[in-house]
Each structure stands twice: as C-alpha cells, then as structure tokens.
C-alpha cells in the first residue's frame, strides 16, 4: 500500500477503533499532496485488514484479500468519490454514493465513504450529504478531504470531526525521503525544500524530473550563458519557464545566504557550495536583489498568463553581465 499516509493520524484512528470511539464523519484538512487521500485509504485498510492483529505496529498487512481489494480500488465496502480539479460535486454523484450507506457491508464491518475535495460540493449535494451526517448509520464511516477548509460549507464542516494535516519540517521530510524512498541525501534535501513539507509533493517533483532539470538549469542557464536556448527552449514552454524561475530563485536565495557566511544544510544547493561562492562574488548585493526582484516579477507574469520572454531576456542579461 502507498506509504504516504500520516502515521500519527492512522495511529489515532486505530486507538479510537479499539476503544469503540470512532465518530461517523471526519474532515481531513491540509495542503495538496500532504497525504490526506493515502491516509483515508490507510484508515480503510486498518479497519478491514484480516491480519492487523498479528503485530501491534502494523496497521494493515497489504497482502490479505481486503487489503488487496482496497489497493486495487475494488473493495465493495470502500467507496471513493473524486471529481476532476475545478469540477463541482453534483447531487447525483452524492446520492449514488450515499445510497450505499443504508445497505449492510458486504465483507467488512464498516462501509467507508471517502469524498475528496469536498469544497467543490454544490449546495444541493451538501443537502443530500447533510441527511447522512445527521442520521449516520452505525456501520458506516465518512471521510471528507479538502485543501481549502475555508471554502467548505459550514453546515458540513460543523458536523464532522476536523483532522488537520500539518506539513513536516524540511529536515524531517528529507530524512523520510532518504529512509523510506532510498533517496540520495543531496537530492532529498533539494526535494524537501521545494515540497513545502508534503511528502506527496516531493514524490511528484521527483517524478516530474525536477532533480534532473535542476542540474541542467544551473549548468546551462545560470552558470552557462546559453542565451538563445533560454529564450527558445525555456521561454517557449510554460512548465520549463516555471522550473527555471523556481530554481533561479532558490539559487539567488542561496547566494545571499552564502554572502552572510552560511555553508550548511540551510542552503538548497549545499552540494554546489563552491559554485555558489564563485557566482555570488561576481555581484553586489543590490545586483543579486535586482535579479531576485525580476525573477519574482516573471513568476507573476507567468501566473497571469502573460508573455515572459522579454523578462527572461532581461534576467539573462543581468545574470551574464559579469
Ligand atoms: Zn491485510
């Protein structure tokens, strides 16, 4: 099973279940990719696993029939509702899901209903859901998730136990990437910086090859002077532009830290300390601040879908002026 679940939260659910204190509805809140979905599934696994009693520290075995069925999305008592980003959760979908609430579970003790991004629920959908929240069935558990709790209807929120997911520290996240995902120490450090405490985000960044892109961006465009390629290759692609700007911001940030004498793990690019030192020596503090400012401006233009090529060219001139 996916190991991006939050162990502390899972532990709390296991303890509540043991004491017969599980509530009927929970709202998982926290930034995207922090592990809300994985934890919801892990809760389903821990409530259904046939072997969990074998050892105290394992919540589910991942091998028994219920575990395998949950993993492959085929468990008849675990229902998940997830709409595409930006789409609203309509009343029909909610009704279809909740029609199952009154039925007895097929193979589990409890039926589990998971609705992701509950902030997208329409008012009609919410009304259908409220009925279930007000008259819960003893053998059902409802888990709702959201990254924007302030947009969840108050009527829904107030009927759920809120479970906040808190981002990990950069250091803790890097350690976990090394330990659980066999990540190289430098890369883990770099990923942890950009992942903002979210393990899932770190894994996505890795899959998006940000690590590989990082070295190319530093070598070719920040240290190298491939002006034409910067405009043609980077500037023509929004994702690449974003990557370039993100890496450049982290590089300039590091340069400023190096200037104040920092040499340790506080640097995103700690593995390139020599190059950072040589690079920052070429600029005054004001010049570094200027590059930083124009890079932030370019990020803003990109968000607003405006053309950033001119600004990229200006940033290039600033980088390579000396
Ligand atoms: Zn199992």
């Amino acid at each position: 099973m996916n190991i991006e679940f939050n162990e502390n939260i899972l532990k709390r659910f296991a303890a509540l279940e043991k004491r017969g204190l599980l509530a009927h509805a929970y709202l998982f809140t926290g930034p995207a990719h922090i592990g809300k979905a994985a934890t919801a599934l892990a809760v389903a696994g821990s409530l259904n696993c046939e072997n969990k009693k074998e050892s105290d520290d394992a919540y589910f075995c991942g091998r028994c029939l219920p575990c395998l069925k949950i993993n492959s999305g085929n468990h008849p008592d675990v229902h998940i509702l997830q709409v595409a980003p930006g789409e609203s959760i309509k009343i029909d979908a909610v009704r279809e899901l909740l029609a199952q609430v009154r039925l007895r579970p097929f193979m589990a003790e409890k039926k589990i209903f998971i609705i992701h991004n509950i902030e997208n629920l329409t008012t009609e959908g919410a009304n259908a859901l409220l009925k279930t929240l007000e008259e819960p069935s003893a053998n059902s558990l409802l888990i709702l998730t959201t990254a924007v709790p302030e947009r969840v209807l108050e009527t829904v929120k107030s009927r759920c136990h809120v479970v906040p997911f808190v981002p990990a520290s950069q250091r803790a996240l890097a350690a976990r990437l090394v330990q659980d995902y066999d990540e190289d120490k430098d890369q883990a450090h770099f990923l942890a910086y950009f992942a903002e405490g979210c393990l899932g985000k770190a894994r996505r960044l890795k899959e998006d090859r940000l690590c590989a892109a990082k070295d190319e961006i530093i070598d070719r465009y920040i240290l190298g002077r491939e002006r034409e390629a910067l405009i043609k290759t980077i500037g023509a692609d929004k994702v690449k532009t974003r990557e370039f700007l993100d890496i450049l911001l982290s590089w300039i940030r590091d340069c400023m830290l190096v200037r104040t004498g920092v040499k340790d793990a506080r640097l995103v690019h700690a593995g390139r300390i020599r190059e950072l030192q040589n690079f920052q020596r070429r600029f005054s503090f004001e010049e570094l601040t200027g590059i930083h400012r124009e890079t932030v401006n370019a990020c803003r233009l990109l968000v607003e879908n405006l053309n950033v090529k001119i600004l990229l060219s200006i940033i290039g001139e600033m980088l390579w002026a000396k």
Side-chain angles (χ1 to χ4, degrees), residues 49-51 60-64 67:
C49 176
E50 289 171 349
N51 299 324
F60 46 81
C61 72
R63 296 182 310 272
C64 67
C67 278

Side-chain angles (χ1 to χ4, degrees), residues 88-91 94 118-130 153 155-156:
S88 55
I89 305 174
K90 306 233 167 60
I91 185 164
V94 177
I118 196 70
E119 73 278 2
N120 295 325
L121 192 62
T122 58
T123 318
E124 295 78 24
N127 287 335
L129 184 65
L130 285 179
L153 293 167
T155 45
V156 171

Side-chain angles (χ1 to χ4, degrees), residues 2-237:
N2 187 330
I3 59 170
E4 281 168 21
F5 59 80
N6 183 308
E7 193 164 350
N8 289 331
I9 289 172
L10 198 55
K11 206 181 263 178
R12 265 167 56 197
F13 270 89
L16 287 171
E17 193 220 356
K18 236 182 201 168
R19 292 155 57 202
L21 293 175
L22 267 187
H24 296 289
Y26 292 89
L27 175 63
F28 288 3
T29 66
H33 313 304
I34 197 167
K36 301 186 295 293
T39 307
L41 266 191
V43 167
S46 77
L47 295 182
N48 284 298
C49 176
E50 289 171 349
N51 299 324
K52 66 180 161 182
K53 274 129 204 146
E54 276 179 1
S55 98
D56 273 348
D57 58 349
Y59 305 98
F60 46 81
C61 72
R63 296 182 310 272
C64 67
L65 189 61
C67 278
L68 291 174
K69 280 190 174 288
I70 289 172
N71 252 342
S72 59
N74 287 318
H75 196 293
D77 298 315
V78 179
H79 303 270
I80 302 173
L81 178 55
Q82 177 152 35
V83 296
E87 240 177 63
S88 55
I89 305 174
K90 306 233 167 60
I91 185 164
D92 291 345
V94 177
R95 275 204 186 124
E96 196 181 317
L97 184 83
L98 297 180
Q100 308 281 335
V101 170
R102 302 283 153 205
L103 304 176
R104 287 183 60 78
F106 288 97
M107 55 189 289
E109 284 172 33
K110 268 189 195 302
K111 298 180 90 70
I112 296 157
F113 300 86
I114 302 169
I115 309 181
H116 291 302
N117 304 324
I118 196 70
E119 73 278 2
N120 295 325
L121 192 62
T122 58
T123 318
E124 295 78 24
N127 287 335
L129 184 65
L130 285 179
K131 261 192 148 165
T132 305
L133 289 171
E134 278 158 6
E135 307 159 21
S137 136
N139 51 22
S140 74
L141 172 68
L142 189 63
I143 300 178
L144 313 174
T145 76
T146 184
V148 274
E150 62 279 10
R151 278 180 46 211
V152 177
L153 293 167
E154 199 52 47
T155 45
V156 171
K157 211 189 300 180
S158 63
R159 285 167 175 82
C160 298
H161 288 253
V162 176
V163 181
F165 284 58
V166 182
S169 71
Q170 205 174 309
R171 184 188 292 239
L173 183 56
R176 180 139 188 221
L177 287 169
V178 171
Q179 190 191 313
D180 289 348
Y181 293 92
D182 248 347
E183 199 57 67
D184 164 89
K185 242 182 167 178
D186 275 351
Q187 300 289 42
H189 178 71
F190 168 77
L191 286 170
Y193 173 79
F194 279 98
E196 294 163 328
C198 300
L199 182 59
K201 193 166 172 191
R203 300 248 297 140
R204 281 172 82 103
L205 289 172
K206 164 107 180 147
E207 277 156 25
D208 290 348
R209 299 180 46 78
L210 185 70
C211 283
K214 171 197 66 166
D215 291 327
E216 192 187 349
I217 287 168
I218 294 174
D219 292 331
R220 290 183 63 183
Y221 305 110
I222 297 180
L223 302 178
R225 294 169 183 245
E226 297 197 26
R227 184 199 163 93
E228 211 172 310
L230 176 68
I231 308 301
K232 272 195 182 152
T233 316
I234 302 278
D237 181 325

Side-chain angles (χ1 to χ4, degrees), residues 232-279:
K232 272 195 182 152
T233 316
I234 302 278
D237 181 325
K238 206 175 156 177
V239 176
K240 284 198 170 124
T241 305
R242 180 80 229 187
E243 278 175 355
F244 169 75
L245 296 173
D246 281 346
I247 300 288
L248 180 57
L249 277 180
S250 65
W251 183 265
I252 299 297
R253 166 197 174 276
D254 272 8
C255 284
M256 291 172 172
L257 284 173
V258 166
R259 185 152 298 196
T260 61
V262 174
K263 289 179 185 167
D264 54 28
R266 281 172 285 171
L267 300 173
V268 181
H269 307 283
R272 286 184 173 240
I273 178 76
R274 267 277 164 74
E275 286 153 304
L276 281 168
Q277 282 168 334
N278 290 335
F279 183 89

